[in-house]
Amino acid sequence: MASDPAIGVLALQGDYAAHARTLSACGVEVREVRKPVQLAELDGLVLPGGETTALLKIMENTGMEEALVAFHAGGGALFGTCAGMILLAGKVCSPAQRSLGLVDIDVERNAYGRQIDSFESVAEWLAPDLAGEDGETSLPLVFIRAPRLVRSGKDVQPLARCRGDVVLARQGRVLVASFHPEMSSDLRVHRFFLKLARQKNKGRLSPAGP
Amino acid sequence: MNESTKKSMAGADGNGRPAATLRLKTGLAEMLKGGVIMDVTVADQAKIAEDAGAVAVMALERVPSDIRKDGGVARMSDISKIREIMKCVSIPVMAKVRIGHFAEAQILQALGVDYIDESEVLTPADESHHVDKHAFKVPFVCGARDLGEALRRIGEGACMIRTKGEAGSGNIVEAVRHMRTVMGHIRRLTILGDEELMTEARELGAPFELVRMVARSGSLPVPNFAAGGIATPADASLMMQLGAESIFVGSGIFKSSDPANRARAIVEATTHYQDPEILVKVSEQLTEAMPGLDIRAMDEKDLMQTRGI
């Protein structure tokens, strides 16, 4: 299909294969991205779950951080889950570490505790955009040593809540989740991201756009 | 272990925590994929590992090559040491227990470690039985040399399998043998007819349901990592190319002449395992690797891989 967006998944470390499987189930072909040059021609990129201290170290030598900022500036859509959300955040605490600052949120790492505190739940509130075709308003949530979104700026749109916290949010073409939609068989969150990525895809076909 | 202890360990506990599902237990292993898990004995080493890009650290009393050298009984690490390690790093902390020593595992779970390795590297506490890992909320990793062993451990509740290799040898040959054996067995299962699977299960000594699951999916139902003898970036790349999803490095880092740089190099080699140019770059700065042992010159009694099969 001509309007299929070109989607990549950052494959430095983490559950990138699970994201690739979920995106395949959405009917999209996925490219693994390990070097900045592989971002060319992509409309959207998924930053998977993993360990952010390791991811930051691995990105140091390849210039990947600068490349991701440039990818965003060039109209690319980004979707970060768990560690991916931490990388995209404006500010990170517990402990403090650098981040890309592509979404105006503050994030606390491992905020719900250690592995023994990892939990499964369902969304207490879900934005209408995410409701299923059958009107399904609940969404399964898998939290693994999860971060918590502790502050979001005025341009950030909350999309789901659990335990009183925003667990899914969007700012422009950036989507972040503190849980792992790739660990459940529900495709709605990934489909929502594909919609964001298609916006760049459209822009590419008609360069006259803003 | 009595029934009420069992229930309180795996299910909802007094702190209102819900039961751990298989998805949560294997989920953490999914997050560690494409990464390097490093053996550490003290907090300083854990910090070096985290700074080098380790996705997790494994706390143990002595690294395998020292256990081999010093002999004696190797046990679960000191609680105070594990606690210091947990305080000092933000990445997951794993710790080893002796095979069959479910009381050590109960202690580690109460301490809050993120993963337990029921490991042949420590001196076995039970020569006939492994820990019933379903009874725990904390996920377990176990070593295996072949598919039967891997599926027996998964049947007992392991949520991650690693090759045993030969720990502390600095020699990759056994890890290669074990990974090739497991992957070869899996491929073989996928071409068998359904009527052949029961006989195959009997020969593997593995639970039939798991054998059928592997035959249909063509992969283990849990993540499959490599361990035992990895000492260089090239070793890490080799294991990843053979089908490992992550790398454990034991003595290979802190028994080398420059742990921080070697750790960093192995991390990069694990991410870029299919990119020889990057492998050249990360390998050329390194000083001496740990000394290695010829497995064929070793006594049968000195092998760790034959413990707990």
Side-chain angles (χ1 to χ4, degrees):
Chain A
M1 208 164 66
S3 69
D4 264 1
I7 301 294
V9 52
L10 193 66
L12 300 175
Q13 187 275 311
D15 72 333
Y16 52 85
H19 274 287
R21 275 196 300 275
T22 309
L23 288 161
S24 302
C26 295
V28 175
E29 207 183 307
V30 187
R31 300 178 217 170
E32 292 188 352
V33 174
R34 291 187 172 82
K35 296 196 256 191
V37 59
Q38 294 164 328
L39 289 168
E41 305 295 310
L42 288 185
D43 299 307
L45 180 75
V46 176
L47 285 71
E51 286 300 324
T52 52
T53 50
L55 288 163
L56 287 170
K57 187 55 70 175
I58 295 165
M59 288 197 284
E60 260 174 22
N61 276 352
T62 55
M64 183 60 90
E65 286 172 73
E66 297 77 5
L68 291 175
V69 172
F71 177 73
H72 175 256
L78 292 163
F79 176 23
T81 62
C82 196
M85 172 172 102
I86 299 171
L87 291 178
L88 292 169
K91 197 172 140 197
V92 179
C93 68
S94 170
Q97 64 185 32
R98 69 177 195 277
S99 55
L100 297 170
L102 297 178
V103 53
D104 185 16
I105 58 170
D106 295 356
V107 170
E108 181 187 354
R109 289 183 61 202
N110 300 329
Y112 298 93
R114 306 193 69 94
Q115 171 62 12
I116 199 159
D117 304 297
S118 292
F119 62 102
E120 292 194 49
S121 190
V122 289
E124 285 151 11
W125 171 82
L126 191 66
D129 293 352
L130 268 294
E133 279 160 16
D134 51 356
E136 175 63 57
T137 55
S138 113
L139 182 72
L141 307 173
V142 180
F143 295 91
I144 295 169
R145 286 173 49 96
R148 176 188 277 137
L149 200 162
V150 290
R151 185 201 64 85
S152 36
K154 62 175 171 35
D155 297 328
V156 177
Q157 177 194 3
L159 296 170
R161 279 202 179 84
C162 179
R163 294 192 178 181
D165 297 317
V166 173
V167 295
L168 179 68
R170 169 201 174 183
Q171 180 178 1
R173 297 177 309 277
V174 183
L175 181 66
V176 290
S178 58
F179 62 98
H180 292 283
E182 74 282 10
M183 292 269 118
S184 74
S185 52
D186 196 303
L187 304 178
R188 275 176 288 164
V189 181
H190 284 82
R191 286 204 173 118
F192 184 81
F193 172 64
L194 292 175
K195 266 194 244 168
L196 298 184
R198 275 192 197 99
Q199 292 172 3
K200 182 189 176 199
N201 185 257
K202 269 186 212 148
R204 204 172 56 184
L205 292 175
S206 51
Chain B
M1 198 180 327
N2 67 40
E3 283 308 307
S4 68
T5 321
K6 243 182 182 173
K7 225 174 257 164
S8 69
M9 284 200 305
D13 61 19
N15 304 321
R17 288 174 176 133
T21 59
L22 187 63
R23 205 199 313 253
L24 290 173
K25 286 174 154 187
T26 56
L28 180 57
E30 295 286 333
M31 301 310 147
L32 302 177
K33 281 186 178 176
V36 183
I37 301 151
M38 303 183 191
D39 274 5
V40 299
T41 55
V42 291
D44 289 350
Q45 290 181 349
K47 194 69 202 152
I48 292 171
E50 181 177 55
D51 288 345
V55 289
V57 290
M58 172 74 73
L60 74 175
E61 190 189 43
R62 291 170 277 167
V63 294
S65 68
D66 284 340
I67 293 173
R68 203 177 273 295
K69 204 170 63 197
D70 304 345
V73 174
R75 312 181 179 92
M76 174 182 80
S77 189
D78 278 351
I79 297 301
S80 60
K81 294 242 173 70
I82 301 174
R83 221 189 260 286
E84 282 166 26
I85 290 168
M86 287 165 67
K87 254 191 232 152
C88 145
V89 295
S90 65
I91 52 180
V93 174
M94 306 184 174
K96 286 190 193 289
V97 299
R98 286 177 266 178
I99 289 173
H101 207 315
F102 56 82
E104 282 186 346
Q106 289 163 349
I107 292 169
L108 289 183
Q109 169 156 292
L111 187 62
V113 304
D114 297 295
Y115 237 97
I116 295 175
D117 184 2
E118 187 182 17
S119 176
E120 71 283 1
V121 168
L122 305 187
T123 313
D126 188 325
E127 294 190 332
S128 313
H129 310 93
H130 281 72
V131 173
D132 170 19
K133 294 164 275 287
H134 292 293
F136 287 79
K137 196 173 169 183
V138 170
F140 277 70
V141 50
C142 287
R145 299 177 306 163
D146 55 41
L147 184 60
E149 214 174 320
L151 295 182
R152 285 194 292 279
R153 299 296 84 79
I154 294 168
E156 293 157 0
C159 297
M160 180 201 295
I161 292 296
R162 54 170 176 76
T163 56
K164 283 179 165 173
E166 189 54 41
S169 70
N171 188 339
I172 197 68
V173 67
E174 294 302 303
V176 167
R177 188 194 319 279
H178 300 163
M179 186 57 76
R180 281 205 184 274
T181 305
V182 168
M183 301 309 266
H185 269 153
I186 292 175
R187 277 192 293 272
R188 182 181 142 71
L189 281 188
T190 63
I191 56 164
L192 293 182
D194 277 359
E195 73 282 6
E196 295 173 293
L197 293 179
M198 184 58 86
T199 304
E200 193 68 14
R202 189 187 62 203
E203 276 163 19
L204 287 169
F208 172 74
E209 288 304 325
L210 290 175
V211 169
R212 187 163 62 180
M213 196 186 283
V214 171
R216 299 217 165 130
S217 70
S219 62
L220 286 183
V222 303
N224 184 17
F225 292 7
I230 294 153
T232 69
D235 289 346
S237 168
L238 176 66
M239 294 313 297
M240 292 294 284
Q241 293 190 58
L242 287 174
E245 295 173 299
S246 275
I247 300 293
F248 282 89
V249 189
S251 321
I253 289 171
F254 289 100
K255 285 290 153 188
S256 73
S257 54
D258 183 2
N261 281 330
R262 183 161 295 266
R264 173 85 192 262
I266 293 177
V267 166
E268 296 207 21
T270 302
T271 291
H272 300 289
Y273 68 95
Q274 291 166 308
D275 193 330
E277 280 173 29
I278 292 185
L279 295 175
V280 169
K281 215 156 56 177
V282 303
S283 302
E284 72 184 342
Q285 305 296 337
L286 297 177
T287 54
E288 220 171 315
M290 71 176 284
L293 299 173
D294 181 356
I295 309 289
R296 286 177 305 180
M298 287 168 71
D299 254 343
E300 178 75 25
K301 68 171 173 41
D302 293 327
L303 293 178
M304 291 175 172
Q305 60 178 282
T306 49
R307 296 165 164 179
I309 55 174

